[in-house]
Amino acid sequence: MTRLLVECTYVFEHPQANSGIQRVVRNVIRELPEPDGECECIPVVMLNGKLYRVLSLTPLPTPTFDLMSLRVRLEHWANAFWLRQRTLERRWPFHRSRLARRLLYVGCRVAAALCLSIPMRILDRQLNKDDIPARCAPLQHQPGDQLVLLDSSWHADFFPLAEQLKRDGVGIVSVIYDLIPLTHPQFCDAGLVRVFNDWFDWIARTADGYVAISTTIRDQVREEMLRRVGAKQVEQRWFDYFHLGSELDLTDETAAVDPGLERMFQSPDPVFLMVSTIEPRKNHAYLLDAFERAWASGSRARLCIAGRIGWKCDALIERIRRHPELNTRLFMFNSLSDRSLEHAYSRSTALVFPSYVEGFGLPLVEAMQRGLPAMGSDIPVFREIGGEFMVYFDLTDPQSLTTLVLDMERTGAFPAPRSVDQWHWLGWREASAQLVERVMRHLKKTPKGQRQHADCP
């Protein structure tokens, strides 16, 4: 029986993280198929140069103080602290004096180290010491095992262990969410671009197969592999894809909905919802431009931006916080729970998603599966997911979105060729089964003697 060792190291170490990849990993792991005599799926982590079977992906209940929640809260405070520092840099006297900016930065570094960075490092050590042994157990690998790199691993430190597993006869399969740091580096931090490029070089030399989350990304991966390792090596690898599910796994029906969100929906005026981390690639500035045109035309539609504050968005956040329509026709929520997000999906008029580039577009699926129609930028992966059930707007012209909003507000009708009521998408159980089935299908096609073709560094 083939064992699929499904790697989930980052989510194991950061169980409260809830962005796109972490949501995927958590749900796929939770819904892994039971052993069927042909395949056994085992969640694994690679820690300190060793392989472990995961016993619990989430922290175990403990009567002691919740250190993990404190660690997550400190991280949120750190992000807000540095956002405030960058905002202050653009104000008097700091924007006029290099010395003043330097003093501000040094003071902030000292304060952040004492109040945030050092406590976070102490908590990390304590959490690793107390929690990890109870949540996993050592696992001995075997020749013929397949290590499925499901989690985000470009920042990982387990590559020497993975290479040793490969030398011992373990196959390696890489799940790839997108190639944005390679294809659109302008939207990413320079450090991420460098790290991701090195990671892809490693994946290109080491993995036997690649599973993307859309046909669009699968084809991009094959093209990038052709460029890096050549046609002969590409012929020896396999490429496939699986689609993501749609359930919100952290929804707690007993939790309270965000009070500000509830107040917003008390008005009958339409609400257009945007769900994503706030960062340049998501194109929130385009949304503001389009809705400002609509408001200038007399529209009463509200724009609701839901998502944590990310990177390279200081000017945008300041624009939102100073906007004359803030909390009237423009709303922003940066820490909604899944319960509150469900509330927003169920009561909004439509989802708007103007992203420049995506590997999949999980909020589109989450919205449409709940009956919320979606408007998205006209990019290939959105066409793949939404087909005739979505409407698309031109990213070069905000007026194209403005017109859609005004027409929908005027007529009450969503202008897609087909109704979202007829649309159906797979759940996480089906998505997880699809991933396993496609990996196993390619393993059956490839004779065992040919599986170890990739070069080991």
Side-chain angles (χ1 to χ4, degrees), residues 75-93:
E75 191 165 352
H76 290 166
W77 288 344
N79 291 337
F81 177 86
W82 287 111
L83 177 66
R84 182 62 178 166
Q85 182 266 338
R86 291 191 295 270
T87 301
L88 285 174
E89 276 190 332
R90 294 195 296 273
R91 295 181 179 173
W92 187 89

Side-chain angles (χ1 to χ4, degrees), residues 165-358:
L165 296 180
K166 182 139 182 102
R167 287 191 290 270
D168 293 342
V170 175
I172 294 182
V173 177
S174 177
V175 175
I176 299 182
Y177 295 89
D178 61 64
L179 297 182
I180 292 168
L182 304 181
T183 60
H184 295 77
Q186 69 272 25
F187 296 133
C188 304
D189 177 77
L192 172 61
V193 173
R194 183 174 60 256
V195 167
F196 192 93
N197 184 69
D198 292 342
W199 168 82
F200 195 89
D201 272 342
W202 183 82
I203 286 296
R205 290 180 286 109
T206 309
D208 304 288
Y210 306 84
V211 185
I213 58 172
S214 64
T215 61
T216 302
I217 301 305
R218 177 200 62 190
D219 296 342
Q220 287 183 6
V221 171
R222 183 185 285 114
E223 289 301 313
E224 183 66 17
M225 287 285 293
L226 283 169
R227 189 179 71 81
R228 295 197 182 216
V229 300
K232 183 177 180 181
Q233 287 292 320
V234 168
E235 286 175 4
Q236 297 176 339
R237 318 296 171 92
W238 57 265
F239 302 84
D240 213 323
Y241 75 99
F242 78 113
H243 277 153
L244 308 182
S246 56
E247 302 97 325
L248 295 172
D249 66 301
L250 294 184
T251 299
D252 179 359
E253 296 299 332
T254 65
V257 174
D258 184 281
L261 190 72
E262 280 195 306
R263 286 193 298 271
M264 183 188 70
F265 282 110
Q266 288 173 359
S267 167
D269 294 329
V271 173
F272 292 82
L273 177 67
M274 168 64 170
V275 178
S276 80
T277 300
I278 301 174
E279 46 111 341
R281 176 171 59 88
K282 303 297 185 175
N283 207 10
H284 290 78
Y286 176 99
L287 270 187
L288 284 179
D289 293 343
F291 275 83
E292 284 172 353
R293 294 184 185 200
W295 295 330
S297 299
S299 171
R300 296 187 60 81
R302 276 89 52 79
L303 172 61
C304 176
I305 295 171
R308 68 179 180 85
I309 295 173
W311 51 93
K312 295 186 177 181
C313 62
D314 300 357
L316 174 71
I317 296 300
E318 192 161 0
R319 177 183 174 186
I320 292 172
R321 288 177 173 167
R322 291 170 172 260
H323 203 285
E325 294 293 343
L326 184 63
N327 298 325
T328 303
R329 288 185 287 190
L330 171 63
F331 298 82
M332 180 172 68
F333 301 93
N334 301 126
S335 57
L336 290 183
S337 66
D338 276 6
R339 174 77 178 91
S340 294
L341 192 55
E342 285 276 13
H343 188 84
Y345 278 140
S346 66
R347 288 163 176 78
S348 295
T349 305
L351 185 83
V352 283
F353 206 6
S355 187
Y356 284 109
V357 58
E358 289 287 337

